[in-house]
């Protein structure tokens, strides 16, 4: 997907305003995450306590949810290219409603697994459709004098805000029971479905529809795109350590995992408050490639801090969370903003979905290795040093960039 070269001149504020469609899609991400994170954080305890599942089976069910979502993103993206985003988003919302309602009443293992698979597949439909259209509209916004990376940063902030608000809503509903939590999450998606049936255009100007067949081969031969997927997968593997290596380290230094809640809250608040200023500062100075490179180096530094400082209590892990979060601010929006420059014309949904699917496979394999390192009996600093090397190696994988600038000086959105 080719785009006009970006300009370095500051745009007029009027030209940099977000279109109604972009505002709808960004609010969509907020609503998606509020509904999802109202339910997910309490699922493991519900399965273990109320349903009576063994620990290994709980882990298996959670893994199935991740697989049915991330692994099938490429399918949802291809369907969005073929049929447009409206039917795919509406179908995904309907399936999410059905999945949450089913989960609320599921009491047997097979029913729980069916509901969880439905919940995951629903996201595999609507998420790549929304993300690909946000990326495409961000390119249009850039051509009109705005900032592509700022649009993707707003999308990230909206998602993080939803991830922050969702658990608070879920905890409130949990005072009744988990069924109420699930039905509350389903209710949010009912509102999203109704809003999109009303507001989402039947046809979006400039969006072509292509056949599903014929897109996979060229994508697999696109070395620059696959290099971006590998680099993004390294970032996601590093980010996943918030849920794997970080809890183990907090347990080691604090004797419990109670401080984790505060560390997660710190990460969310940093994204919500600092993402846009960071994007503004970086967008005026760095190309897409350099922004991702700096972000990966910052993430590597976060792992190195924990490996190097072993006697300061929770301070090193707090430093890790801060550096990892700032690295995320540099890498995540930029990677999505880069995909339109690498995608085949008319197949942005396929490429957006493949970015998540390929990087998800990298995280799956890398997390298994990380778990082995954490349980190996090696000195506690060794896994962190190995993890620091992953984003460092990813810098070398970043493809060359043909665009002249990553964005123009952003105006207020």
């Amino acid at each position: 997907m080719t785009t006009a070269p970006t300009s370095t001149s500051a745009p007029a504020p009027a030209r940099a305003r977000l279109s109604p469609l972009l505002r709808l899609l960004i609010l969509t991400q907020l609503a998606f995450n509020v509904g999802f994170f109202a339910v997910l954080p309490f699922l493991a305890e519900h399965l273990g306590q109320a349903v009576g599942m063994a620990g290994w089976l709980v882990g298996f069910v959670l893994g199935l949810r991740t697989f049915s979502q991330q692994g099938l993103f490429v399918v949802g993206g291809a369907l969005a290219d073929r049929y447009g985003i409206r039917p795919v988003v509406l179908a995904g919302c309907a399936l999410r409603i059905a999945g949450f309602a089913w989960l609320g009443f599921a009491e047997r293992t097979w029913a729980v697994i069916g509901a969880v698979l439905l919940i995951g597949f629903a996201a595999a439909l609507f998420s790549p459709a929304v993300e690909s259209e946000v990326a495409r509209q961000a390119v249009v916004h850039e051509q009109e004098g705005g900032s592509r990376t700022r649009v993707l940063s707003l999308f990230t902030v909206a998602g993080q805000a939803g991830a922050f608000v969702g658990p608070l809503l879920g905890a409130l509903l949990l005072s009744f029971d988990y069924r109420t939590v699930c039905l509350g999450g389903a209710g949010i998606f009912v509102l999203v479905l109704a809003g999109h049936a009303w507001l989402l255009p039947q046809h979006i100007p400039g969006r072509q529809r292509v056949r599903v067949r014929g897109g996979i081969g060229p994508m697999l031969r696109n070395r620059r795109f696959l290099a971006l997927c590998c680099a993004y997968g390294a970032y996601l593997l590093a980010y996943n350590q918030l849920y794997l290596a970080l809890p183990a380290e907090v347990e080691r230094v604090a004797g419990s995992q109670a401080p984790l809640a505060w560390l997660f809250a710190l990460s969310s608040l940093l994204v919500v408050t600092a993402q846009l200023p960071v994007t503004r500062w970086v967008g005026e100075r760095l190309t897409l490639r350099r922004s991702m490179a700096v972000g990966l180096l910052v993430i590597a530094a976060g792992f190195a801090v924990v490996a190097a400082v072993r006697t300061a209590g929770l301070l090193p892990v707090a430093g890790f969370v801060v550096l990892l979060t700032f690295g995320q601010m540099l890498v995540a929006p930029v990677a999505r903003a880069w995909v339109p420059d690498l995608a085949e014309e008319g197949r942005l949904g396929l490429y957006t979905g493949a970015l998540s699917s390929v990087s998800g496979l990298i995280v799956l394999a890398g997390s298994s290795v990380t778990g082995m390192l954490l349980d190996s009996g090696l000195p506690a600093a060794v896994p962190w040093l190995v993890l620091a090397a992953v984003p460092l190696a990813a810098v070398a994988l970043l493809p060359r960039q043909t665009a002249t600038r990553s964005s123009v000086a952003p105006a207020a959105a």
Side-chain angles (χ1 to χ4, degrees):
M1 180 174 178
T2 57
T3 60
T6 56
S7 169
T8 57
S9 59
R15 295 178 63 197
R17 292 176 181 170
L18 298 182
S19 66
L21 178 58
L22 266 178
R23 290 197 294 269
L24 172 64
L25 295 175
I26 289 171
L27 290 174
T28 295
Q29 181 70 355
L30 172 66
F32 279 171
N33 278 9
V34 169
F36 178 71
F37 285 99
V39 177
L40 183 68
F42 312 101
L43 177 58
E45 183 178 359
H46 169 72
L47 297 181
Q49 299 296 325
V51 182
M53 288 186 177
W56 70 268
L57 188 53
V58 172
F60 176 72
V61 169
L62 296 179
L64 279 178
R65 187 209 63 79
T66 301
F67 172 77
S68 63
Q69 179 172 321
Q70 294 292 126
L72 297 178
F73 259 45
V74 65
V75 175
L79 291 175
D81 290 337
R82 176 64 181 89
Y83 299 105
I85 71 166
R86 178 184 168 89
V88 177
V89 169
L90 296 183
C93 289
L95 290 180
R96 178 57 64 86
I97 293 167
F100 276 167
W102 189 4
L103 182 62
F105 290 90
E107 297 180 353
R108 296 178 179 273
T109 299
W110 67 267
V112 170
I113 289 176
V116 165
L117 288 175
L118 198 59
I119 289 168
F121 182 62
L125 289 179
F126 58 64
S127 286
V130 170
E131 290 175 13
S132 64
E133 188 56 35
V134 168
R136 199 181 72 82
Q137 292 296 323
V139 174
V140 175
H141 183 70
E142 181 181 61
Q143 293 170 346
E144 294 174 349
S147 167
R148 187 194 308 190
T149 51
R150 181 174 176 81
V151 170
L152 275 299
S153 296
L154 283 167
F155 190 74
T156 299
V157 170
Q160 196 66 48
F164 183 76
V165 173
L168 300 179
L169 175 62
L172 179 64
L173 296 176
L174 196 61
S175 61
F176 298 95
D177 55 24
Y178 190 71
R179 179 173 296 172
T180 304
V181 174
C182 292
L183 295 179
I188 292 173
F189 277 89
V190 168
L191 296 177
V192 173
L193 177 63
H196 283 68
W198 179 34
L199 297 173
L200 201 57
Q202 292 279 356
H203 174 70
I204 299 173
R207 186 171 186 117
Q208 304 176 16
R209 296 187 182 183
V210 297
R211 293 182 178 180
V212 174
R213 294 181 59 185
I216 299 293
M219 184 185 71
L220 295 178
R221 293 190 294 270
N222 189 332
R223 295 182 180 180
R224 296 178 67 219
F225 173 70
L226 294 179
L228 177 64
C229 289
C230 291
Y232 189 69
Y235 148 72
L236 281 182
L237 176 60
Y239 185 79
N240 195 58
Q241 302 316 308
L242 283 175
Y243 311 103
L244 187 57
L246 180 63
E249 182 67 11
V250 169
E251 180 79 31
R252 188 188 71 83
V253 300
S256 75
Q257 295 189 7
L260 278 176
W262 296 103
L263 293 172
F264 289 154
L266 172 64
S267 177
S268 295
L269 289 175
L270 280 174
V271 173
V272 171
T273 58
Q275 176 72 74
L276 294 181
V278 168
T279 299
R280 183 183 302 114
W281 186 88
V282 170
E284 296 172 353
R285 293 165 176 82
L286 301 178
T287 62
L288 296 173
R289 187 180 192 278
R290 289 180 178 176
S291 178
M292 282 197 69
V294 171
L296 291 167
L297 292 174
V298 170
I299 291 171
F303 287 106
V305 165
V306 180
V309 183
R310 312 298 299 170
T311 59
L314 289 171
L315 188 60
V317 294
F320 163 72
V321 170
V322 170
L323 290 172
L324 179 66
T325 303
F326 274 101
Q328 173 197 4
M329 295 181 202
L330 294 170
V331 172
V334 168
R336 296 191 187 100
W338 202 343
V339 173
D341 292 339
L342 303 175
E344 185 183 357
E345 190 69 34
R347 297 194 183 276
L348 184 54
L350 173 67
Y351 280 69
T352 300
L355 179 69
S356 293
S357 294
V358 173
S359 56
L361 291 174
I362 292 173
V363 171
L364 180 62
S367 295
S368 300
V369 175
T370 303
M372 292 172 59
L373 283 172
L374 292 172
D375 293 337
S376 64
L378 293 169
V382 171
W384 292 88
L385 287 173
V386 173
L387 288 167
V390 172
L392 284 177
V395 174
L397 295 175
L398 291 171
R400 298 294 176 182
Q401 186 182 348
T402 57
T404 56
R405 296 280 293 177
S406 65
S407 68
V408 296

